[in-house]
Amino acid sequence: SREVQDLLAGDRLMYTVMADLAMRLSGGLIGRSGYSAIGAVVGATHPDVLRELRRKYDQLFFLVPGYGAQGGGAADVQYAFDRFGHGAIINASRSLMCAWKKTGADGADYPDASRRAAEEMKNELSAYVQVL
């Protein structure tokens, strides 16, 4: 992603050009929640970018992949949310689907291991993000 998102477009980085475009296209698409029907995907492993984009694009909803197996954690993704704990969905795939591999079992405990990993993720996020 860095090869594209960090390209210079004039004097701006491509990811800011795309966020500006998303906001321009959002005219008339802001819902009761205050967020646009158009969102942006911003990786969990780039907390500095999350912080910058949330501050500047307060009406874009963020999908934030990369939590868990890819290295993003609760301390990183906290910046995706607004001060009310809204505005983002944190996505974890491998860390939930493959949680059974950490149990040392044969995978028969997949549902329980996934549930425990999801609850752990929720608790980690709750330490950084309060939903009001």
Side-chain angles (χ1 to χ4, degrees):
S1 67
R2 286 271 182 202
E3 290 84 8
V4 174
Q5 71 186 29
D6 288 346
L7 284 174
L8 281 176
D11 61 347
R12 300 183 314 158
L13 292 169
M14 183 59 70
Y15 70 86
T16 62
V17 172
M18 296 307 297
D20 285 339
L21 176 62
M23 283 308 303
R24 276 197 312 277
L25 295 173
S26 293
L29 298 176
I30 306 297
R32 290 186 328 211
S33 66
Y35 286 96
S36 171
I38 297 174
V41 177
V42 187
T45 56
H46 305 289
D48 52 331
V49 174
L50 277 169
R51 182 184 296 160
E52 172 193 353
L53 293 179
R54 173 52 61 219
R55 187 173 29 245
K56 186 172 180 186
Y57 303 99
D58 60 345
Q59 292 183 306
L60 285 182
F61 202 85
F62 296 161
L63 171 62
V64 185
Y67 189 98
Q70 292 182 17
D76 303 316
V77 301
Q78 67 180 313
Y79 305 111
F81 297 93
D82 66 17
R83 62 190 176 107
F84 300 110
H86 302 166
I89 295 175
I90 308 304
N91 184 64
S93 297
R94 242 180 321 172
S95 59
L96 300 180
M97 292 185 315
C98 298
W100 66 270
K101 292 181 179 182
K102 294 181 179 181
T103 68
D106 62 0
D109 61 341
Y110 164 78
D112 291 331
S114 294
R115 183 175 29 263
R116 283 191 304 274
E119 288 171 355
E120 183 177 317
M121 178 182 168
K122 177 185 171 193
N123 291 338
E124 290 170 358
L125 288 168
S126 294
Y128 289 91
V129 180
Q130 275 196 345
V131 179
L132 303 176

